Amino acid sequence: MSQYFTLHPDTPQPRLIKQAVAILRSGGVIAFPTDSSYALGCHLGDKAAQDRIRAIREVDDKHHFTLMCRDLSEIARYAQVDNRQFRLLKANTPGSYTFILEATREVPRRLQHPKRNTIGLRVPEHLVTLALLEELGEPIISMTLILPGDELPMHEAEEIRERLEKRLDLIVDAGACDVESTTVIDLTSDTPVLVRAGRGDLQPFGLN
């Protein structure tokens, strides 16, 4: 049975943030709100928790996780960022984007694309998510919470509890989220490449 924390979306209670991070650090799998939909998350170094997320989503190892980062400087620790990429990231983070970049050695091989050595990273624009990341002090491994057979990601914590209570360690309720996924943009080429259109605006990347 999962724990269920109700957090204020704008001023999340520090005590509950600390408890949620303790669950992450102990190997837990959590459902938490973002500026797009709800997501599943776990600790960066925990392969068993990763495997649990893949099982919930029913995806194989070709479906990659995203590193949810606190800020641009944290992205630069886990991804190789040149001047062009930095300008784009600076202008569009935080926000509902996932950026594909070349991974640094800080990223475990199991999280990288097996052939390209790339990783998806994002800086969310949600105060509860940012509070979790600040307390944790490192990225959360995340994956959009969309269940097998569903067309849209989950966006309400109560429904997540109804459907996944026995498979999660914690559900963080900070109110309903959007029902869209992030926009995924590959920045490894000379020009941005759209991988998936979602909530993030395409205009800043010349893709609309």
Side-chain angles (χ1 to χ4, degrees), residues 65 80 85 89 116:
F65 287 87
Q80 299 179 36
Q85 294 162 335
L89 291 168
R116 299 180 60 208

Side-chain angles (χ1 to χ4, degrees), residues 77-80 103-109 112:
R77 178 180 175 187
Y78 293 92
Q80 299 179 36
T104 66
R105 292 181 179 178
E106 296 288 329
V107 180
R109 289 287 302 176
Q112 299 179 32

